[in-house]
Amino acid sequence: MLIDAHCHAHAFSDAELGEFSKIRIIAVSEDLESSRRTINLSKRFNNITPFIGIHPWNLESVSKGEIEEVFRLLRLGVARGVGEVGVDGRIKRSVRKQVEVFKLFCKVSAELDLPMNIHALNAWDQVFEIMLKMDVRRALFHWYTGPIRLLRDIGEAGYYISINPAVRIQPKHRRVLENAELDMIITESDGPYNYKGLRLTPTMISDLIEFISDVKGVDKVSLEKIIERNFERLLG
């Protein structure tokens, strides 16, 4: 089965989700409302694995109570992981709060042994160091476009990166794919995000597998097995 390790399933209609039934999806959330919808979707679609959290872009608009409710839901065991959470270094005015909240999510991840689905644009090194210090054991750096030099450390920590269909048109993501070891790669769509006119959806995963296969020089069947194995290890 194909793997989409980072998808905003809550933003798709039920009809669209039905079209993705043969793809194993980690559904990430952005706030309390989407976290609740993600949990609900996982009860109705067998291929959806729910991750809940607060996206760093939303921290300026959510209340402390909403954040605490997401923590409560995580401790109730209604989700399989934490995400989408992290730090976006481009939003300078809220970086301090982002780091503060991210550390709280890392603490919950470590306490409950839950995998994390990470957003770390312009903050790759900082986020990685926080996770190591807080004993996060399993994590995915989604749509990794960070430093090539950090790939080795990410792999040695037992963490993973995801490759997005945008790899076809984003040079820095292509360089990541060329340099990353296969045992740390998982596929994702980040759907239904729009990137430079490209509407990303899980249906693109099949073509993405073919592209990765060509770049890495490995046959598609073997590649799918490797990615599925990485996916299972991420989930634990």
Side-chain angles (χ1 to χ4, degrees), residues 3-6 140-146 148 151 160-182 184-191 200-201 204-213 215-216 223 227 230:
I3 303 297
D4 185 344
H6 186 99
L140 175 76
F141 284 83
H142 118 81
W143 197 334
Y144 185 81
T145 56
I148 299 300
L151 286 173
Y160 298 89
I161 66 166
S162 55
I163 300 297
N164 185 280
V167 69
R168 291 179 177 273
I169 59 174
Q170 187 180 35
K172 59 184 175 182
H173 198 35
R174 168 70 181 258
R175 287 194 294 273
V176 166
L177 174 59
E178 291 170 347
N179 285 274
E181 298 293 335
L182 285 173
M184 67 183 300
I185 288 175
I186 308 179
T187 45
E188 67 144 68
S189 73
D190 200 20
L200 302 169
T201 77
M204 294 179 173
I205 298 296
S206 180
D207 287 342
L208 176 59
I209 287 288
E210 185 170 345
F211 185 84
I212 295 173
S213 172
V215 171
K216 304 300 283 185
L223 179 61
I227 289 174
N230 295 345

Side-chain angles (χ1 to χ4, degrees), residues 64-201:
K64 181 180 179 181
E66 288 175 287
I67 297 172
E68 290 175 348
E69 178 62 12
V70 172
F71 289 142
R72 188 185 74 84
L73 290 171
L74 285 166
R75 290 193 169 92
L76 284 176
V78 296
R80 289 285 304 277
V82 182
E84 177 175 1
V85 298
V87 178
D88 193 316
R90 301 170 303 175
I91 311 175
K92 303 296 184 184
R93 65 184 179 276
S94 65
V95 164
R96 184 174 179 178
K97 182 175 182 179
Q98 290 181 57
V99 170
E100 177 186 321
V101 174
F102 179 60
K103 286 181 178 178
L104 295 176
F105 277 116
C106 287
K107 181 179 179 181
V108 171
S109 168
E111 288 175 357
L112 302 179
D113 193 22
L114 291 173
M116 302 189 77
N117 215 303
I118 302 296
H119 176 108
L121 274 173
N122 286 31
W124 304 103
D125 289 281
Q126 181 181 19
V127 166
F128 177 73
E129 291 300 326
I130 290 171
M131 291 163 61
L132 283 184
K133 289 178 181 178
M134 301 200 69
D135 196 30
V136 173
R137 291 180 283 284
R138 289 174 288 134
L140 175 76
F141 284 83
H142 118 81
W143 197 334
Y144 185 81
T145 56
I148 299 300
R149 59 169 171 74
L150 190 58
L151 286 173
R152 181 176 177 179
D153 292 338
I154 290 172
E156 289 180 350
Y159 301 154
Y160 298 89
I161 66 166
S162 55
I163 300 297
N164 185 280
V167 69
R168 291 179 177 273
I169 59 174
Q170 187 180 35
K172 59 184 175 182
H173 198 35
R174 168 70 181 258
R175 287 194 294 273
V176 166
L177 174 59
E178 291 170 347
N179 285 274
E181 298 293 335
L182 285 173
D183 63 2
M184 67 183 300
I185 288 175
I186 308 179
T187 45
E188 67 144 68
S189 73
D190 200 20
Y193 188 70
N194 285 285
Y195 179 75
K196 295 186 176 180
L198 194 66
R199 185 177 187 265
L200 302 169
T201 77

